[in-house]
Amino acid sequence: MDESEHATEESSNPHHWFSHLLDRFDEFHARFEGPNTIGNNRTFWAVFWGIFAILLVYPMIVNTFVLKTNTSFFIWVILALSLSIVWGYSGIFNFGQMATFGLGGYAYGVVAINLTEMIGGTVLALLIGVVLPAVVMAALGYFMFYGQVSGLYVAIITLVVTLMFNLLLTRTSGTTIGDAQLGGLNGMSGIPTLELDVVAFSFDLTPVSEYYLVLALMIAVYLGLRYTVNSYYGYVMIAIREDERRTQMFGYDIRKLKTALFSAGAALGGLAGVLYVSWSGFIDPTMFGLVSASLPIIWVTVGGRGTLLGSGIAAYLLQYTSNELGAMGTGYSFIFLGILFILVILFFPSGIVPALRDRWVAWSTTRKQSGSVQEGNS
Amino acid sequence: MSLIESLFGFLILALSHFGKLALIALGLAVIFGIMGIINFAHGEFILVGAYTTAMGYHAGFPLLLAIFVGGLAAGIFGLIVERLIIQHLYDRLIETLVATWGVSLIVIQLVRIQFGGTFAGIHTPLGSIQYGAFSASTYRIALAGAAIVLFASTYAIFMYTRYGLHSRAAMQNKEMAQCLGIPTKRVYMKTFFFGSVLSGIAGGLIAPTVSLTPDMGTNVLVEAFVTVIVGGANVIVGTSLAALSLGIIQAPASMLFGTLGGYLALLITTVLLIRVLPEGLTGVVE
């Protein structure tokens, strides 16, 4: 808070070079701000880029193992953001976001194993890993939304379809696609890491460069989605969530929009799946199981359904916590998580991050009033 | 195998699938139908019933009494969950779903820590019936009979008791029921208890036919879930019809393609039925 107070004093003097810089800073972020996101002020962005700077030097202060684990948490954040868009902002209760993740992962694995000799093979695999889930979910979306299926029934159908993938993949123990063995319950292993062979440069991903790639993608996805939800499209998405029929009356083709959103969310989920499989070199059908399928739902609910920031933070913290608890070698992590969900649902029904935001706003407003400090920007 | 034998086999298999689906779905259907909430811990209510039944059975209780105790144990567990969590979440479908999912995680892990990966099961009673090359467990067929008895009792409770009247009123129009002096919160509490008892009895009944593991609840949850959704809002008629039709579809598929094939057929049918009949089979009947 000291920082922003400092900042407001500076901005009251328009001729100061620093205030000019701050205006440019605000100007740059204006496109990511709006009523549909949390964190629309200078303080937020200062903290945001501060954390980003820490994340940039993070590989220099931790060992490879910790870094690699951390990379996987960022991948989960991308998955959580994708569900936040589909469910939190557009109101499509998608229980199958994990299926898009798994489909992307399997598609990447199959293509990457077969094209491992080819230059740019894994990049092609990445593209297919993004496109395939988008196509599959566009078809499923067409099936559901053009048939007027909505609400709870969307959740059931997406869950059931996810479980069908699970069943089908457990029965692929002898199945091969080219050189790739799907491996049934044992899963598919030996999947090559992403290699970025673009015209100018070519390098295998080391844990460090992989970390930077995933970090960059996570930030890009977050900012891209912030831009989207605060744009015209974002307003339409929220209109669909709030009142489908009224939005339709205004002339929007709900069915088409929902199918498109569903499919776009699947592409993002597929991207996360590709990154995950490239990270682990392995994937198995448990990705499509009931427990996995509910994870993204839980992150988004705990963090705050209507916020990108909350979903991302919750995904990171919950995965981090269950990883730490899991390392202690007991099943107590699930008990802890179960209790946590229940407490959050009972005491912060709209999610932790929106609740904290409300506290913060209330606190800074009373502080402002009592101290009568003039705030230029809030 | 002659044609008649296959036909007989099919009928027996369909009957046993119907019995299992109807039993595991009834408790969920009562809670979903009356209260409109989805209990994701439903499988764990069945688990509590099954484990308690097995414990009672090993302690020397006759099986029927053990099943009754299992139902009671699940009912008490349900009452605790309702008082602690569910009562604060009425009318909030998604929040109940996530909270009950939390309950499910806790119960599964506690059971795993307490009893390990498997629990001593109950030997399937009643032997088997033989027809030509085909043989089937008599107990599995008896389960279909038990399901019919439970459905009939549930119907009687809803139609001929004071609680039944109140709960039907609360289901049809909650505000109006409140205006007429029906204590809807108390009705919901009783309903949750009732549903939990039914799930516990179902758990006890199917205990001799399944292996008792901490994730047995997760395994039956999906089947129960799809049966309730296919059935629609009408607890008795919808759910029993759904169990019957899904059993008829699951039986030949599992005869031809094994258990997983039957399960897959169940899921595909569900997806198609939701698309064609969003109201479930209830919509067709009414």
Side-chain angles (χ1 to χ4, degrees), chain B residues 7 52 58 61 75 91 109 121 125 143 148 152 169 196 204 216 241 268:
Chain B
L7 200 66
T52 314
H58 295 314
F61 286 30
D91 303 323
Q109 285 309 317
L143 282 186
I148 293 169
S196 309
M216 69 171 283
L241 268 183
I268 293 171

Side-chain angles (χ1 to χ4, degrees), chain B residues 211-232:
Chain B
S211 50
L212 300 180
T213 59
D215 49 11
M216 69 171 283
T218 318
N219 297 337
V220 295
L221 176 68
V222 174
E223 283 174 284
F225 215 54
V226 299
T227 309
V228 171
I229 294 298
V230 167

Side-chain angles (χ1 to χ4, degrees), chain A residues 143 147 167 294 298 334 349, chain B residues 92 95 101 109 218 260 263 275:
Chain A
F143 173 82
L167 283 179
S294 58
I298 285 163
F334 281 117
Chain B
R92 285 159 54 194
E95 280 84 353
W101 178 248
Q109 285 309 317
T218 318
L260 281 178
Y263 196 55
R275 165 73 196 249

Side-chain angles (χ1 to χ4, degrees), chain B residues 234-274:
Chain B
N234 189 318
V235 177
I236 306 292
V237 180
T239 311
S240 56
L241 268 183
L244 191 62
S245 29
L246 290 175
I248 288 171
I249 287 158
Q250 200 179 8
S254 55
M255 261 170 113
L256 294 173
F257 310 110
T259 319
L260 281 178
Y263 196 55
L264 203 58
L266 187 79
L267 298 184
I268 293 171
T269 313
T270 307
V271 170
L272 295 177
L273 270 178
I274 293 178

Side-chain angles (χ1 to χ4, degrees), chain A residues 107-118 121 176-181 192:
Chain A
Y108 172 82
V110 168
V111 178
I113 286 174
N114 281 298
L115 300 182
T116 184
E117 301 296 317
M118 196 179 107
T176 53
I177 301 177
D179 296 332
Q181 294 186 321

Side-chain angles (χ1 to χ4, degrees), chain A residues 3 9 37 82 86 95 106 135 188 212 236-238 249 251 283 296 314 316-318 321 350 357:
Chain A
E3 196 174 0
E9 275 168 23
T37 45
S82 74
V86 173
F95 224 111
Y106 264 99
V135 171
M188 180 162 59
Y212 282 121
V236 177
M237 279 154 63
I238 285 167
M249 289 300 178
I283 186 168
Y316 186 92
L317 290 182
L318 287 176
T321 315
S350 57
R357 193 261 321 259

